[in-house]
Amino acid sequence: MVEELVTAGVALASVGAVYLISAARVVKQYERGVVLRLGRLASEVRSPGFTMIVPGVDRLRKVNMQIVTMPVPAQEGITRDNVTVRVDAVVYFKVVDAADAVIEVEDYRFAVSQVAQTSLRSIIGKSDLDDLLSNREKLNEGLAVMIDSPALGWGVRIDRVEIKDVSLPETMKRSMARQAEATRDRRARVINADAELQASKKLAEAAQAMSDQPAALQLRLLQTVVAVAAEKNSTLVLPFPVELLRFLERSGLQAQAQTEQTQAETEQVEAERGARRPAPTVKQAPAMTPTSAMGAAPATRSRAADENGFGGSLPPELEDLPEAENLT
């Protein structure tokens, strides 16, 4: 009898130990336990630590509450400015409601992955290429909002979304490289021009200061000679003073101006003299009558004969002429 009781006690103890072992569960700190009792959700979610369930009646599902890092496969799309790109991203999320993560969705990880891919495609189509390359923070925020909207009903919260890489076609890369090179060239030229402008202003100020002190220009000339001779060259370059050239140029211009002025004064004096000279007057001879003309002709002839040395009579050779009588 005693042996039977001992045997029964040992059997009950063994059954109790097996029951405890099958009913005991341990929930880790980063997990929460969701109990389904006969297929229905229990009222409470089991917290971390040791917990008990009813074997054969309850079923415990552990849900990880840590932040999950999920890479999003590269998605190929066309941007708003018609550029084909491939963009990949990474999603950081965690479960905030273990019961909804078990009851509302079959596999919350797969669901979040699919939503992230579709949202990434949508972001690519709504954005320009420049936004994808330079304004990623704004795109990350918009992508997180698009994924977080359906995920809240699954007991999942999107912590952050990051666009990792944007792959461009080779032709687009070459075009962007040429554009960047042209931009850098333009910037270098602008900086060089600005430096030349500042240097010219400083040189103008230095020239003005040297013009006030002629000795400063001589000292500058000597410094230039010393700088050239410091290289141990056999040839010594002596700079020709520019002021001398300017002096010669001014002297030539002044001499030319004086010559032109003298010529103009001379022409003016001649013009004034011509204006002061009186015009020549023509005297009219008195009219002569035929008788007076006839009387004056012999006298004129005799005067001409006297001047020629013939005297009052004609020479013998002229008297023999038939017209000689008329001449006498």
Side-chain angles (χ1 to χ4, degrees):
M1 187 69 182
V2 176
E3 294 179 357
E4 294 177 356
L5 293 174
V6 172
T7 304
V10 172
L12 290 175
S14 299
V15 171
V18 172
Y19 179 80
L20 290 175
I21 292 173
S22 60
R25 295 289 186 274
V26 176
V27 180
K28 297 180 181 179
Q29 182 66 36
Y30 54 86
E31 295 177 339
R32 296 295 183 271
V34 178
V35 179
L36 298 176
R37 182 167 294 168
L38 297 178
R40 297 184 62 181
L41 179 65
S43 59
E44 61 180 7
V45 177
R46 303 300 174 87
S47 59
F50 180 80
T51 184
M52 296 289 293
I53 61 173
V54 179
V57 177
D58 296 341
R59 183 180 177 183
L60 180 66
R61 292 189 59 178
K62 298 178 182 179
V63 180
N64 193 340
M65 305 296 290
Q66 291 177 321
I67 295 177
V68 181
T69 302
M70 176 180 293
V72 180
Q75 302 297 313
E76 184 173 356
I78 301 177
T79 61
R80 190 167 57 182
D81 50 355
N82 298 325
V83 179
T84 303
V85 295
R86 290 178 59 88
V87 182
D88 56 353
V90 58
V91 181
Y92 301 91
F93 68 93
K94 68 177 181 178
V95 178
V96 293
D97 193 340
D100 290 341
V102 175
I103 301 300
E104 298 296 335
V105 64
E106 180 181 3
D107 187 354
Y108 65 89
R109 291 175 180 265
F110 181 74
V112 171
S113 176
Q114 296 301 313
V115 171
Q117 294 180 28
T118 55
S119 300
L120 184 57
R121 284 179 174 271
S122 178
I123 285 293
I124 293 174
K126 294 179 181 179
S127 304
D128 295 332
L129 179 61
D130 294 337
D131 294 335
L132 290 175
L133 296 176
S134 61
N135 196 11
R136 292 190 180 183
E137 294 181 358
K138 184 178 179 179
L139 296 179
N140 293 336
E141 294 176 359
L143 188 58
V145 171
M146 294 179 65
I147 301 174
D148 194 39
S149 297
L152 288 176
W154 306 332
V156 178
R157 186 183 68 187
I158 305 300
D159 188 57
R160 60 187 304 177
V161 181
E162 295 287 343
I163 295 176
K164 292 198 304 183
D165 188 21
V166 178
S167 300
L168 300 175
E170 293 298 329
T171 56
M172 182 59 65
K173 290 181 180 180
R174 289 194 292 268
S175 299
M176 295 178 65
R178 290 194 298 268
Q179 181 182 2
E181 184 178 359
T183 302
R184 289 193 296 268
D185 190 11
R186 178 180 62 84
R187 189 181 305 171
R189 291 185 179 181
V190 170
I191 293 174
N192 190 15
D194 191 10
E196 292 291 340
L197 178 60
Q198 295 180 3
S200 62
K201 291 182 179 179
K202 295 298 182 181
L203 288 175
E205 294 177 0
Q208 184 177 3
M210 288 183 179
S211 62
D212 296 337
Q213 297 292 334
L217 184 61
Q218 186 67 23
L219 292 176
R220 182 60 181 170
L221 178 61
L222 295 177
Q223 290 178 359
T224 304
V225 172
V226 171
V228 173
E231 298 295 333
K232 297 180 180 180
N233 295 327
S234 59
T235 303
L236 181 61
V237 179
L238 293 177
F240 193 78
V242 182
E243 286 73 12
L244 182 58
L245 295 177
R246 293 179 179 175
F247 174 75
L248 296 176
E249 183 180 1
R250 287 195 298 267
S251 300
L253 293 176
Q254 290 177 0
Q256 183 179 0
Q258 290 178 359
T259 303
E260 293 178 355
Q261 184 177 1
T262 304
Q263 184 177 1
E265 291 177 355
T266 304
E267 293 177 355
Q268 185 178 3
V269 170
E270 292 179 355
E272 291 179 355
R273 288 180 179 177
R276 294 176 182 176
R277 182 180 301 170
T281 58
V282 180
K283 295 183 179 180
Q284 296 182 357
M288 298 177 62
T289 59
T291 56
S292 62
M294 292 177 62
T300 304
R301 286 198 300 269
S302 61
R303 189 182 301 113
D306 293 338
E307 291 177 357
N308 293 329
F310 296 137
S313 61
L314 294 172
E317 58 271 12
L318 294 179
E319 292 178 353
D320 295 336
L321 294 175
E323 295 179 354
E325 297 179 356
N326 297 330
L327 294 175
T328 57

